[in-house]
């Protein structure tokens, strides 16, 4: 018996295209004499569809596509994920009943466990954290059991079919069903308790996150070993999004042996049909899956994500504003790698505050990458704006009175940033026939250290899930591994990071951003990425206990380096906490979609509310205690 | 026995402030000799907090505040909503266990049903549709029952306490528990089946939606009558948001009698302590709650929402770009009503395409409202931008070659819109010391008929949940009811709506927007507001059957008026469907927060995915059939 893992690229919201791809893969699998072919979870509709799930016509289409796939199972067993609809019943929101379902088709018919009330297997565990929203749309097996007055244990059981004259018992799982550590029930052991199982199949639609594959290998290896049966994990490739956040799907479909070894592993980010001879599966040598270097892993995800996102929205050309700083340089290099130098237009937009140093870096970058290059000075436009506001009167029509405004230097700073983004880059994109990139990193995004409609604008924020130190790592990696030459000038890597929006940010005098990345990168990560998010109370508790650097995973001595005493430390903490909870939220609400790589990306993964900063009573007590000794 | 409904304004994410408010109300209730005082659901933390629920320190603070409230129950029974935490257990996401809980405190102790494993009542039904996200954060009573190996029916029961020497049995419900129509279980009848109940209490945190109160009166009246016991419904006021969408909470706390009559109803959008004499409750005369006129209801929600949102983000001044069109006029009038004319700056920003007609309307509006007024022409800045792009060379550095761009008229249109938004209005806001408004309506927002960083920018989109015909209704209402004089010039109401971005949109020639609002308002509402969202397949089916206008609730003859034949009808349908699913999504991802009034607002209520348009096979078949006869 031969089992084929069909790791296909699923295009979300395009059931017709996905079905054609599935049918082609079925044909390929038959040609390779496979007896069973396995497709990912939600292979027909895609998984992240927003509220498209509420469209009846779309659901009908998915069902029709499903019937076509079932009809193609004459000479091969097809296992695939699709939405299943019961129009006689309702979800708790009053809409038509929908299940996230696992279909098994043989000879044009559906095969399913005896005690299932439907001819398919229903997802039991529904992820409802991070980017997942299963419970909004799908009725779980647990709810169904309650509705039927029975228990999940009575519904969860293997299904069996005859293949080449032999009866085979298969345990079917959908994605989260295999990640049951925090749930009240464990679908795999429930399946196992129903008697002998020849193998398990977990169909998934599992977005890439740094380090997730290693965790999966640990969990799934253990589960296969505990169950004493092989486990076939099939995941899709491609990208899917929920508006504010874009996810890559790396595939990495894997066969785990009955002893927990990894016996086969599909490639990352590419379609693949991998055929396993089941009779000799236990004699397959274990595959050594070496953990990847994080920077290499992230860079790969970024390049793939950018490529697929551009294709999905039909963009071929990209405009990147290049300041001579690190974020824009990395962004420019990534896009150049994806769409080619000829399709990238780099624009340097100096005001009177920009140094020759960074202007030269920008030009050098353009030379190295071979992109089109423009220098569009913004000083005239900025002066025109300031001049209009200082000379055009503000009228009080009823009183026949008028007065004049004065423009502060802070207002002038932001006029510059918006002039670059909304005036120059947006126009350039339209004229060049493409989109313009948002070059924001995660540290800036956390505290809103950016200008709305200025640098915080663009069709995609490709590096907004990277802390500043990760941006530097990617810069070096692009030079040494991707381009194999210094496309990003070393000077850009070495210079102090600066927005160059005022004389106070003069890079030639070593002045730059108010963010001290070797500390703030890690502080902000604690605010947003810790499973239980850290707040000033936690930070101050750790600071007082002398364990802060250990808790944040930043270099020992970091806080001493930046803060003379507790007063300075606390002032800094409150400054950025206020911004994270205040203006940072306001800006993120309107910021471009983020390409996710971390375990917590902005957008739909980290849910926002514009409620302002809060300091607990315990925080205030700690603060008072720390300050009274000064 | 006297029962007090404490309809308080809850500030989300500010447990300390809310607790002080609660304790003050407890004092007031005692002064009014109440025996029981009832506060809303989640009265301590607030309800819409995004992922603040993942902060341990915040949870601890809410618990501490809860203890303070419990301690204040020496001489009065306090019923209130708060988050409850069990640190020994976990949610399904691996985070600390959290319940949406109902606390009953008497003489400093918690009173709870005998068979509850915790000293509080746990919310049973978890809304997970529209703007609600309960299942992401809270463990339901149903899950708890499963975990304990029991059933909800065994856990759900009334609690009893002695008040003035008499034993009173109370049925406790949390918000959705009273809206059980689409769930497998009905908490109210489960409570009732546990024996006699003196009264029910439903503590809620229920956002305002047009028409929701009427539905609630129907449902809750029926439930009280069925149970044969009074039902006290207590809701909060204030605003809460989940980033992209801002909700008002109208309070409207209500007492339903044992026969289903409405016996008492608190005001809308104001704090209130309403004391009911329980002994004589059945002799209270039923209150006639007349359904409000929708425009009046919406206008009230807008004015309240704007007021509270400005306060919550600390803004006192607002800049409104006024084109002489209806959307900006309504927006300007709303803000003027809220913050006063002296705090509003209106700016008219003509280019060469703007008519004297609309320029005069803008001035007239400013005169009528008495706001500060500026005219900032944008032609010079637009010309400067176009000139820069047409004269500054695009360099191919490696080849030593250069070329020049030409600027298309479409690119020039959007340069104008962004010049107004990101250059002028954003700068004006910073200089004036306020924010600037986004004047978009729901029809434009649906199909992205707007410019990102241009008119689709600002700190709040106050009328973006209103269809164009609703904007006109509000305009008339503001003149006749709110200001009691013609602040919005009649000419603005009468003139053809137009963006005036090109000669093709000349209002003096009667030319304007490509949107035919008397049809498109209703078509788009079907795309987004129908409980099962309509798609082109549904639209074409209705069109072919001659039932379209009936289904869309638009005027009979509307389609005939705008489309000569099926070909024109279909071209229009596909144009806007493509935009709704394509560029419309891309723009909404980055658009300002929407103030919600409808049953489906953009932002967090309608979940997005940037996946492009899809046409089902059935749609294609219908289309072919309709076109073959032409």
């Amino acid at each position: 018996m031969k089992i084929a893992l069909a790791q296909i690229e699923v295009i979300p919201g395009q059931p017709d295209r996905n079905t054609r791809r599935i049918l082609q893969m079925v044909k390929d699998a038959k040609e390779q004499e496979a007896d069973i072919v396995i497709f990912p979870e939600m292979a027909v509709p895609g998984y992240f569809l927003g509220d498209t799930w509420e469209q009846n016509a779309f659901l009908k289409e998915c069902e029709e596509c499903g019937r076509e796939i079932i009809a193609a199972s004459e000479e091969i067993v097809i296992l695939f994920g699709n939405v299943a609809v019961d129009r006689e019943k309702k979800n708790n929101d009053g809409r038509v009943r929908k299940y996230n379902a696992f279909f098994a088709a043989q000879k044009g018919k559906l095969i399913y466990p005896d005690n299932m009330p439907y001819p398919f297997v229903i997802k039991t565990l529904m992820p409802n954290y991070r980017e997942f929203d299963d419970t909004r749309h799908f009725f779980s097996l647990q709810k169904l059991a309650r509705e039927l007055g029975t228990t999940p244990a009575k519904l969860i059981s293997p299904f069996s079919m005859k293949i080449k004259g032999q009866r085979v018992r298969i345990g079917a799982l959908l994605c989260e069903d295999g990640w049951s550590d925090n749930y009240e029930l464990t679908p795999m052991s429930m399946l196992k308790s129903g008697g002998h199982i020849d193998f398990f199949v977990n169909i998934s639609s599992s977005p890439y996150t740094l380090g997730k594959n290693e965790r999966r290998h640990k969990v799934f290896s253990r589960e296969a070993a505990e169950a004493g049966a092989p486990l076939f994990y099939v995941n899709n490739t491609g990208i899917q999004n929920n508006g504010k956040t874009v996810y890559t799907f790396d595939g990495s479909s894997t066969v785990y042996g009955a002893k927990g070894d990894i016996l086969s592993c599909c490639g990352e980010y590419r379609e693949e049909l991998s055929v396993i001879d089941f009779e000799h599966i236990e004699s397959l040598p274990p595959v050594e899956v070496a953990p990847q270097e994080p920077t290499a892993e992230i860079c790969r995800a970024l390049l793939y994500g950018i490529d697929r996102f551009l294709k999905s929205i039909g963009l071929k050309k990209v405009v990147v504003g290049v300041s001579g700083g690190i974020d824009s340089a990395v962004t420019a290099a990534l896009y150049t790698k994806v769409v080619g130098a000829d399709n990238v237009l780099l624009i340097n937009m100096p005001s009177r505050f920009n140094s020759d140093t960074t202007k030269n870096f920008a030009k050098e970058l353009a030379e190295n990458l071979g992109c089109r290059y423009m220098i569009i000075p913004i000083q005239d436009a900025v002066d025109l704006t300031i001049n209009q506001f200082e000379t055009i009167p503000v009228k009080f029509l009823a009183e026949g009175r008028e007065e004049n405004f004065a423009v502060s230097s802070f207002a002038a700073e932001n006029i510059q940033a918006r002039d670059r983004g909304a005036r120059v880059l947006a126009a350039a994109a339209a004229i060049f026939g493409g989109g313009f990139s948002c070059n924001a990193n995660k540290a800036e995004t956390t505290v809103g250290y950016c200008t709305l409609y200025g640098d915080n604008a663009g069709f995609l924020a490709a590096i907004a899930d990277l802390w500043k130190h990760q941006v530097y790592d990617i810069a070096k990696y692009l030079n040494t591994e991707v381009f194999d030459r210094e496309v990003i000038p070393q000077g850009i890597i070495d210079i102090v990071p600066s927005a160059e929006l005022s004389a106070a940010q003069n890079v030639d005098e070593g002045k730059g951003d108010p963010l001290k990345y070797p500390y703030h990168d890690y502080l902000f990560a604690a605010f947003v990425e810790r499973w239980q998010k850290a707040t000033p109370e936690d930070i101050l508790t750790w600071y007082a206990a002398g364990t802060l650097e250990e808790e944040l995973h930043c270099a020992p001595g970091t806080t001493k380096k930046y803060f003379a005493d507790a007063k300075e430390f606390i002032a800094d903490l409150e400054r950025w906490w206020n911004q994270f909870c205040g203006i940072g939220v306001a800006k993120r609400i309107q910021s471009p979609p983020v390409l996710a790589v971390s375990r917590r990306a902005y957008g739909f993964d980290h849910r926002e509310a514009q409620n302002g900063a809060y300091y607990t009573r315990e925080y205030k007590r700690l603060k008072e205690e720390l300050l009274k000794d000064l």
Side-chain angles (χ1 to χ4, degrees), chain A residues 68-179:
Chain A
E68 237 181 285
I69 296 166
I70 293 161
S73 67
E74 275 307 329
E75 292 152 41
I76 188 169
V77 170
I78 307 174
L79 312 184
F80 69 102
N82 194 5
V83 60
V85 185
D86 182 346
R87 278 166 227 285
E88 305 296 309
K89 289 186 175 175
K90 281 184 175 176
N91 273 359
N92 290 152
D93 61 1
R95 293 191 178 86
V96 70
R97 175 74 57 86
K98 295 176 284 288
Y99 300 104
N100 183 339
F102 180 121
F103 289 88
Q106 187 180 37
K107 295 189 182 132
K109 289 211 173 67
L110 288 176
I111 312 292
Y112 51 95
D114 290 339
N115 34 9
M116 268 285 164
Y118 292 102
F120 44 80
V121 172
I122 295 165
K123 193 171 182 177
T124 304
L125 306 183
M126 295 278 177
N128 191 210
Y129 50 85
R130 290 201 58 200
E131 68 272 30
F132 300 107
D133 221 1
D134 277 35
T135 53
R136 181 176 174 93
H137 306 293
F138 309 115
F139 209 75
S140 73
L141 184 90
Q142 288 166 283
K143 282 191 182 178
L144 179 65
R146 197 162 51 223
E147 185 183 62
L148 298 174
T150 180
T151 63
K154 290 201 178 122
L155 296 180
I156 295 176
S157 57
F159 63 91
S160 79
M161 41 173 62
K162 255 195 179 154
I163 295 173
K164 288 187 168 169
Q166 278 200 312
R167 186 143 293 276
V168 181
R169 283 166 57 87
I170 302 170
L173 301 153
L174 290 110
C175 205
E176 188 84 346
D177 292 340
W179 298 86

